[in-house]
Amino acid sequence: MKRKLLFGLVAVALVASMVFAGCAKAPAAPAEPAAPAESAAPAEPAAPAEPAAPSGNLDVPIVIPLGTLSCLSGPYGSWGTEEHLLQLMQIDDINEGGGCWGDILDHEPGFRVNGQLYNWEIIAYDMKMDPKESVLAANKLIFEDDCEFIHVFLSPAYYATREMLIENRIMVTTEAAAMTGVIGPANPYTFRTLLSVPLENALQYSTWIKEDLGVDNCAVLCGNCHHGLNFWYSYQEEFERLGIQVLDFEAYERDGTDFTPQLTKALATDPQMLFLPIPPSNNAGLIVKQARGLGYEGIIFEGVCPAIQTLVEVAGGWDVIEGLYSVNSVPPPFTYPQQQWFYDEYTSRHGVEAFSGGLFDRADDFYNLTHAIEMADSLDAADISRAWENMPDEETFSFFGAPSFMAGFTIYGNNHELHVPGWISQIQDGKEVVVAQTESPRY
């Protein structure tokens, strides 16, 4: 495939300044990130030729690189490292058969296109949640490693590399959830498979907070970055609609360790709930520890799944985080066979202590991508996209269970977003316990 090399260092600098810019205590909604140069969907380049099958046995697999813009260090390193480990496990499962791909989803080992057997190979680079590093890593994946399939971790990396990915017809799965414009007709080969989408999270969980927890007011501690603030603005809108009063809003820096000044101001308002929209787990552990140390005994609700091992270690023990609520985390005992398989396989590799119920939030994408390739019987991004966006509900897979479905057309213009049931957990007596499940909105 002929590719177009885009370095765009000026654009990267603009993206970096946008992503990491500070915000005031009571911020207005941030400006939308700059759109790609094209205002409409890009013209379809000529489809690349299918890779030639070897002259020998079609059952001898051709190995395809699957690149990942991972986050193995920095403020989101605990999430990124967990994700990398589970991605390696997913790829082994798909390539080798048995397990979830074979025994539960009834696929043969690997996947076939035009009769030829294929296997995946992960190529991962640490983009460190830095836009410039993201561009450098994406260049390597596309132009040196010849990756036509790339997974992108979170919004800063996606926005820094978006034009490059579109120009080169890269099939993208992403967790870029905190900014607008990630999915839609302008990004025809991008699919978002992470449940932690600001709008969807707010729609799924705000009503439960109001009606089941009985929350009438709250104070908010939010990361002082575009990623965190966009999550908060979706919840803010829902809280206002439901009549949940926001008594105080405090922003903090993601690399901070002392949150006492913000907590002192927030807790002085005597809130029923301390709400943390989407904190990295190292931040969340310290915030919970310091809030309890200041004598706060009310509800603490984390609007994202924690990396539980990091959370416990940073907080200083399970007893410190007792009572904490979080979402998108599925602890044992399990409801679905794919959940039990995942737990058994992950813990056999990394130990029981390394398991987090939030791992499921990042574990659906490669299964659905591979199934879409089989449905399309093609390795072309346009063919795979058409198959995936029209995937029947009964064939759409999630570790969160059923119903799972592709949606998003009403808001985004195409069905490129995976919707799954929502799970709410609480720390009770030194373990995560599921306390509620919610239905995903079908918009």
Side-chain angles (χ1 to χ4, degrees), residues 199-221:
L199 174 63
E200 187 172 347
N201 262 28
L203 290 173
Q204 281 192 305
Y205 302 122
S206 295
T207 299
W208 189 87
I209 289 171
K210 173 67 175 180
E211 296 182 355
D212 291 74
L213 283 186
V215 171
D216 294 316
N217 63 69
C218 68
V220 180
L221 261 69

Side-chain angles (χ1 to χ4, degrees), residues 11-34:
V12 171
L14 291 174
V15 173
S17 64
M18 173 196 72
V19 172
F20 297 107
C23 299
K25 176 180 175 182
E32 292 294 332

Side-chain angles (χ1 to χ4, degrees), residues 201 220-223 228 231-232 235 275-279 301-304:
N201 262 28
V220 180
L221 261 69
C222 182
F231 252 78
W232 164 237
Y235 270 100
F275 184 68
L276 315 177
I278 182 170
F301 196 104
E302 181 177 356
V304 70

Side-chain angles (χ1 to χ4, degrees), residues 164-227:
M164 184 190 306
L165 297 169
I166 295 171
E167 286 281 346
N168 290 285
R169 294 175 58 94
I170 304 301
M171 191 74 202
V172 177
T173 60
T174 186
E175 296 173 12
M179 298 179 182
T180 58
V182 174
I183 57 175
N187 311 326
Y189 317 124
T190 298
F191 285 75
R192 181 162 56 197
T193 55
L194 179 71
L195 179 59
S196 303
V197 178
L199 174 63
E200 187 172 347
N201 262 28
L203 290 173
Q204 281 192 305
Y205 302 122
S206 295
T207 299
W208 189 87
I209 289 171
K210 173 67 175 180
E211 296 182 355
D212 291 74
L213 283 186
V215 171
D216 294 316
N217 63 69
C218 68
V220 180
L221 261 69
C222 182
N224 195 8
C225 60
H226 217 83
H227 186 71

Side-chain angles (χ1 to χ4, degrees), residues 78-339:
S78 57
W79 279 343
T81 300
E82 283 184 340
E83 179 184 81
H84 178 64
L85 294 177
L86 71 87
Q87 287 173 341
L88 293 174
M89 188 178 82
Q90 287 175 297
I91 295 309
D92 286 347
D93 182 42
I94 292 171
N95 289 344
E96 297 170 7
C100 183
W101 183 246
D103 293 343
I104 297 172
L105 296 178
D106 197 28
H107 291 264
E108 68 169 305
F111 57 100
R112 290 187 183 270
V113 175
N114 294 325
Q116 172 63 50
L117 180 64
Y118 290 88
N119 279 176
W120 291 117
E121 178 185 21
I122 287 278
I123 301 178
Y125 294 123
D126 183 9
M127 55 79 180
K128 306 174 184 177
M129 281 295 281
D130 180 291
K132 183 176 179 180
E133 292 286 342
S134 301
V135 170
L136 295 175
N139 272 318
K140 290 188 68 175
L141 289 173
I142 296 171
F143 303 110
E144 296 182 22
D145 301 315
D146 200 28
C147 289
E148 298 180 11
F149 302 86
I150 295 178
H151 177 80
V152 182
F153 182 86
L154 298 186
S155 303
Y158 181 79
Y159 269 88
T161 59
R162 176 171 62 174
E163 292 187 35
M164 184 190 306
L165 297 169
I166 295 171
E167 286 281 346
N168 290 285
R169 294 175 58 94
I170 304 301
M171 191 74 202
V172 177
T173 60
T174 186
E175 296 173 12
M179 298 179 182
T180 58
V182 174
I183 57 175
N187 311 326
Y189 317 124
T190 298
F191 285 75
R192 181 162 56 197
T193 55
L194 179 71
L195 179 59
S196 303
V197 178
L199 174 63
E200 187 172 347
N201 262 28
L203 290 173
Q204 281 192 305
Y205 302 122
S206 295
T207 299
W208 189 87
I209 289 171
K210 173 67 175 180
E211 296 182 355
D212 291 74
L213 283 186
V215 171
D216 294 316
N217 63 69
C218 68
V220 180
L221 261 69
C222 182
N224 195 8
C225 60
H226 217 83
H227 186 71
L229 291 170
N230 267 310
F231 252 78
W232 164 237
Y233 292 129
S234 292
Y235 270 100
Q236 183 181 38
E237 183 176 339
E238 284 300 296
F239 283 5
E240 289 176 355
R241 183 182 67 82
L242 294 167
I244 300 175
Q245 183 182 5
V246 179
L247 302 176
D248 186 54
F249 175 93
E250 299 292 334
Y252 63 84
E253 300 303 322
R254 290 185 308 185
D255 58 355
T257 56
D258 182 8
F259 304 100
T260 303
Q262 295 95 331
L263 284 167
T264 299
K265 294 178 183 178
L267 300 183
T269 64
D270 193 25
Q272 284 181 275
M273 177 178 72
L274 184 62
F275 184 68
L276 315 177
I278 182 170
S281 293
N282 55 326
N283 290 159
L286 289 173
I287 291 171
V288 174
K289 178 180 181 179
Q290 291 167 20
R292 296 305 189 202
L294 290 171
Y296 180 67
E297 298 180 354
I299 297 167
I300 302 180
F301 196 104
E302 181 177 356
V304 70
C305 57
I308 195 66
Q309 187 175 24
T310 299
L311 185 68
V312 173
E313 289 175 357
V314 172
W318 285 94
D319 59 318
V320 180
I321 62 172
E322 179 73 13
L324 174 70
Y325 290 94
S326 64
V327 304
N328 308 348
S329 185
V330 183
F334 299 112
T335 304
Y336 297 96
Q338 62 264 35
Q339 295 170 346

Side-chain angles (χ1 to χ4, degrees), residues 100 104-105 334-344 360 364 397-402 404:
C100 183
I104 297 172
L105 296 178
F334 299 112
T335 304
Y336 297 96
Q338 62 264 35
Q339 295 170 346
Q340 187 65 55
W341 170 83
F342 185 103
Y343 176 83
D344 292 341
F360 292 123
D364 297 331
F397 172 76
S398 176
F399 282 99
F400 286 98
S404 302

